Amino acid sequence: MAIENPYYTHEFHGDYDLISLGEFALEEGGVIPDLNLAVATFGTLNEARDNAILVTTWYSGTHQIFRDVYIGPDRALNPDRYFIVVINQIGNGLSTSPHNAAGANAGIAMSRFPHVRIGDDVRAQERLLREHFGIETLQLVVGGSMGAQQTYEWMVRFPGRVKRAAPIAGTAQNTPHDFLYTKALVEAITSDPGFKGGEYSSNTDVVDGLKRHAGIWAVMGFSTEFWKQELWRGLEFESKEQFVEGFLEPYFTQMDPNDLLCMAWKWQRGDVARHTGGDLEAALGRNTAVARIMPINEDMFFPVRDHEAELELTPHATIRVIDDLLGHLALFGVSPTYIGQIDHHLQELLDTEV
């Protein structure tokens, strides 16, 4: 049965609406009886319904980080100009997820939650935008990491519906290295005796596994230069150990283990070439959106070279490399120079005629 977790509330994440899509069949054959997506909107949808931007979320993330860092009247994602819709991915703890599956969804709670694909997220997003808001065309789809995976899925699955696209620090086809990295994250959680095959009574039962999970992120989420140059001092920590214990561990230990595992499974299997019998070039060749591909130069598991390889296969795309010593977790926007680069490249894209 579903369990309570106070982290997944308005108190922590601010305003959002739960919008039901009803019964939703999944690509792997499972069914969510009543799929609810947590949606936060910023700005006003114009009469023509053609000023919409979709923002997709990453592993462990919610709309909150975008509200706090990426969206604002002084940002490229300007709610005074655009209607910005942030849709929390399935399984992220706010939308229908293993830990909160209750009512009609009680039969898929916790360890019984079905496998979800990146494509399921995107199909659900398209349906919600079209049926709930009457939005047929998007000015921009943008997301980081797993959000970039969803952005690529939009580019390939719905060509012509997306005018512009900006995948940040994420690839169209997950690499073997990423698969193994994510496998380590999964095993850190599931090896905790308190996990009990996914039938724990509280996330606190799995605190040791979640701490190990956080420790793996310390190794790969931040760059070698972040640790070598002791950049954690700029975040007001006095040692690397204190940073892990005071920043990363509290971030992950409040989350639900099954929710993290749900997202990890689809992250591992993100691959737009599923649409074309494994032919990545044919899949990316479907894209009609003007795209800015934005890797982070110190990213340890979505390196620039992987983005460059996909860039060569993607029509209408150019690359803009983000310079940030934090590595992948620069996405959190804690570096003062990070968001300025993102804004510059997104504004350039939004100003491009299509």
Side-chain angles (χ1 to χ4, degrees):
M1 60 184 295
I3 61 174
E4 295 293 323
N5 185 323
Y7 173 68
Y8 299 107
T9 61
H10 291 275
E11 178 184 358
F12 280 90
H13 299 281
D15 292 339
Y16 62 90
D17 296 314
L18 282 175
I19 300 175
S20 173
L21 294 183
E23 184 175 287
F24 191 81
L26 300 167
E27 292 181 9
E28 288 294 304
V31 174
I32 297 177
D34 183 22
L35 175 58
N36 285 266
L37 295 179
V39 181
T41 64
F42 307 85
T44 303
L45 184 63
N46 64 15
E47 188 174 348
R49 301 180 187 275
D50 65 356
N51 68 329
I53 289 175
L54 171 65
V55 179
T56 54
T57 62
W58 57 62
Y59 180 82
S60 81
T62 73
H63 64 276
Q64 172 266 333
I65 185 68
F66 292 97
R67 180 199 66 214
D68 292 350
V69 177
Y70 290 77
I71 296 170
D74 57 343
R75 308 253 81 101
L77 299 180
N78 182 355
D80 293 340
R81 181 177 180 186
Y82 299 103
F83 180 61
I84 302 165
V85 185
V86 189
I87 303 181
N88 291 273
Q89 66 171 288
I90 301 167
N92 84 330
L94 298 183
S95 293
T96 295
S97 303
H99 96 274
N100 67 18
N105 295 327
I108 61 168
M110 301 293 281
S111 66
R112 296 177 298 281
F113 202 79
H115 288 314
V116 181
R117 289 263 186 187
I118 295 290
D120 294 317
D121 282 304
V122 170
R123 288 189 303 111
Q125 292 159 8
E126 188 277 334
R127 231 180 91 188
L128 184 147
L129 291 168
R130 177 169 42 81
E131 294 179 359
H132 188 78
F133 293 112
I135 296 170
E136 297 281 351
T137 303
L138 292 162
Q139 290 292 332
L140 171 68
V141 179
V142 57
S145 197
M146 280 190 75
Q149 291 180 306
Q150 294 164 67
T151 300
Y152 274 114
E153 186 81 14
W154 267 96
M155 293 160 64
V156 170
R157 189 182 283 266
F158 297 112
R161 303 281 297 279
V162 181
K163 291 187 175 183
R164 302 170 185 85
I168 305 170
T171 54
Q173 185 177 68
N174 205 38
T175 65
H177 175 266
D178 257 19
F179 188 97
L180 292 172
Y181 170 68
T182 313
K183 182 173 181 285
L185 293 175
V186 168
E187 290 173 347
I189 292 172
T190 58
S191 62
D192 188 326
F195 181 68
K196 296 179 181 177
E199 294 299 325
Y200 47 85
S201 59
S202 166
N203 62 302
T204 59
D205 295 346
V206 198
V207 67
D208 289 339
L210 291 169
K211 284 182 177 179
R212 288 195 295 270
H213 174 274
I216 296 171
W217 275 102
V219 174
M220 288 292 293
F222 294 98
S223 73
T224 56
E225 285 301 308
F226 173 82
W227 297 108
K228 190 187 303 181
Q229 298 186 29
E230 299 186 344
L231 298 179
W232 37 263
R233 292 190 184 278
L235 300 173
E236 300 183 356
F237 291 93
E238 295 181 359
S239 69
K240 59 183 180 299
E241 292 81 9
Q242 188 186 86
F243 174 75
V244 172
E245 294 171 3
F247 183 88
L248 281 175
E249 288 184 0
Y251 177 73
F252 282 111
T253 55
Q254 62 193 330
M255 296 180 186
D256 181 81
N258 279 323
D259 294 357
L260 292 171
L261 296 176
C262 173
M263 289 183 283
W265 192 92
K266 56 180 160 173
W267 168 8
Q268 286 180 301
R269 292 159 180 83
D271 183 4
V272 297
R274 294 176 68 242
H275 299 290
T276 52
D279 188 334
L280 182 60
E281 183 173 6
L284 289 172
R286 293 182 177 184
N287 175 59
T288 62
V290 177
R292 294 290 185 273
I293 295 170
M294 290 190 268
I296 298 169
N297 62 348
E298 292 284 346
D299 197 326
M300 297 278 283
F301 49 92
F302 289 110
V304 173
R305 61 179 172 272
D306 289 345
H307 295 77
E308 290 174 334
E310 293 183 344
L311 173 70
E312 294 181 5
L313 308 178
T314 309
H316 320 295
T318 53
I319 195 166
R320 301 289 188 271
V321 178
I322 306 299
D323 180 18
D324 200 302
L325 291 177
L326 269 69
H328 190 71
L329 293 184
L331 288 165
F332 284 100
V334 296
S335 169
T337 60
Y338 169 81
I339 193 62
Q341 295 176 77
I342 295 294
D343 274 335
H344 175 78
H345 299 315
L346 286 181
Q347 193 63 62
E348 175 194 40
L349 178 58
L350 287 164
D351 289 342
T352 300
E353 292 295 328
V354 294

